[in-house]
Amino acid sequence: MPAKSQAQQKAAGAALSAKRGETKKSELKGASKSMEKFMSEKELKELAETDRKNLPKKKK
């Protein structure tokens, strides 16, 4: 499932980093915090790998 906005892609990347232990979970805010908690590493990776080039900054 590809990301639908650049903001979603960035949040998934932050959540994935925390899930892998590369950053502290306490540093997460907003959507990335709940993404880390409720999504699998595989799901987060799919969202984070989405090319941001053609995505809107935020979903309308």
Side-chain angles (χ1 to χ4, degrees):
M1 157 177 94
K4 296 184 180 179
S5 69
Q6 290 182 13
Q8 186 182 38
Q9 190 267 346
K10 286 181 183 181
L16 181 60
S17 177
K19 190 167 280 272
R20 290 179 173 169
E22 297 167 358
T23 59
K24 295 179 183 177
K25 292 181 183 182
S26 61
E27 293 177 1
L28 297 178
K29 296 178 184 177
S32 59
K33 193 172 191 175
S34 61
M35 285 175 145
E36 189 278 327
K37 195 173 189 178
F38 295 109
M39 296 179 80
S40 70
E41 187 172 333
K42 181 182 176 188
E43 291 172 316
L44 290 170
K45 186 177 179 195
E46 287 177 14
L47 284 173
E49 286 181 338
T50 304
D51 184 24
R52 289 193 294 160
K53 188 175 184 179
N54 297 320
L55 294 177
K57 291 197 184 279
K58 290 187 177 182
K59 188 175 177 199
K60 295 179 181 179

